[in-house]
Amino acid sequence: MSIAIALDGPAGAGKSSIAKRAAKALDYIYVDTGALYRTIGLAATRKGVEPVDSPEVNQLLSEINVDLTFNEAGEQIVLLDGEDVSGLIRTPEASMTASKISQIPAVRAYLLDLQRNMAKNHNVIMDGRDIGTVVLPDAQVKIFLTASPEARAGRRYKELVEKGMDVKYEDILQDVITRDYSDTHRETSPLKPAEGCVIVDTTELDFEQSVEKIISVIKENI
């Protein structure tokens, strides 16, 4: 029987990087569900479709193919109609579009089976906004990873600057606050801790300490 770890939390909490490292240490598959929503957002942007609940979005979903694969190192690659778009979906603009597109029930339904099938076939650490509450409610371990908005914005700012992007901390902080409100107040699968989850606050922890904490929680609860 496969083991599923659900890791939820707000934007910029470090879910992806922490989950990726923890999965490697535990020899699990890491599934970044946020990348799936970013990919649909990218498809919408390319086709000029507004990220709102509409017939145009439903039509878009019927025309595209989103899939996940993994390279030899076990790293996730997200495909849009066969194109590797993993590097194209990591901008602040893609983040905000993903937040809007993820509020659409048809989009969430479109991706649900893909996510659940990954958990059926592999030992996974899956991160997102509603993994423990909706996607994998029966996951063996549920974790809600969070940190203060200032800490999350600071980490995202550093990450983007290191990639050579011209960004401002104040803009990223506002994006984080806006995303938090949007994610927690949406009608469909709002962001909230799952019942029975372990809440981990990494505001005062560095990256390595955060990874160690997550691995510790997983081992204690399997």
Side-chain angles (χ1 to χ4, degrees):
M1 178 180 175
S2 58
I3 297 174
I5 313 299
L7 182 63
D8 292 309
K15 297 185 301 296
S16 297
S17 53
I18 291 171
K20 188 182 299 183
R21 178 74 71 83
K24 185 174 183 179
L26 296 168
D27 197 25
Y28 282 25
I29 291 292
Y30 163 61
V31 182
D32 173 11
T33 63
L36 300 173
Y37 291 100
R38 288 169 179 264
T39 299
I40 295 179
L42 175 64
T45 299
R46 285 179 169 180
K47 292 182 178 291
V49 175
E50 288 295 318
V52 296
D53 196 357
S54 67
E56 288 76 18
V57 167
N58 292 334
Q59 179 66 28
L60 173 72
L61 294 175
S62 70
E63 295 174 348
I64 63 173
N65 181 64
V66 177
D67 202 4
L68 293 177
T69 187
F70 301 88
N71 61 22
E72 294 181 356
E75 297 171 333
Q76 175 179 293
I77 297 172
V78 62
L79 302 173
L80 174 60
D81 296 327
E83 175 192 356
D84 179 0
V85 297
S86 306
L88 301 177
I89 57 175
R90 295 301 174 184
T91 65
E93 292 78 14
S95 178
M96 292 307 297
T97 303
S99 180
K100 294 176 182 176
I101 208 94
S102 68
Q103 298 182 47
I104 302 173
V107 173
R108 305 197 76 83
Y110 175 86
L111 293 174
L112 190 58
D113 285 343
L114 173 60
Q115 296 170 82
R116 286 179 173 171
N117 286 336
M118 291 298 300
K120 286 180 182 178
N121 299 320
H122 306 276
N123 291 335
V124 301
I125 297 181
M126 186 176 296
D127 80 322
R129 301 289 190 278
D130 64 345
I131 308 305
T133 55
V134 176
V135 180
L136 303 176
D138 297 323
Q140 287 88 337
V141 183
K142 302 175 188 178
I143 300 171
F144 191 85
L145 184 71
T146 189
S148 70
E150 293 77 12
R152 289 183 278 132
R155 294 167 185 170
R156 182 64 59 84
Y157 173 76
K158 181 180 178 182
E159 175 187 351
L160 295 176
V161 168
E162 288 176 349
K163 291 181 178 180
M165 296 185 181
D166 182 17
V167 293
K168 295 181 180 179
Y169 168 79
E170 293 78 11
D171 292 340
I172 294 176
L173 176 59
Q174 187 57 54
D175 284 346
V176 167
I177 294 171
T178 301
R179 182 80 184 265
D180 283 355
Y181 184 87
S182 175
D183 287 343
T184 56
H185 288 77
R186 67 189 180 208
E187 292 185 9
T188 303
S189 302
L191 171 67
K192 62 181 180 179
E195 183 177 349
C197 75
V198 178
I199 297 178
V200 177
D201 190 318
T202 66
T203 300
E204 302 298 330
L205 303 180
D206 63 22
F207 177 71
E208 295 298 337
Q209 291 170 329
S210 299
V211 172
E212 291 174 6
K213 179 63 176 178
I214 293 300
I215 292 175
S216 174
V217 168
I218 292 172
K219 287 183 175 180
E220 289 172 3
N221 287 278
I222 289 179

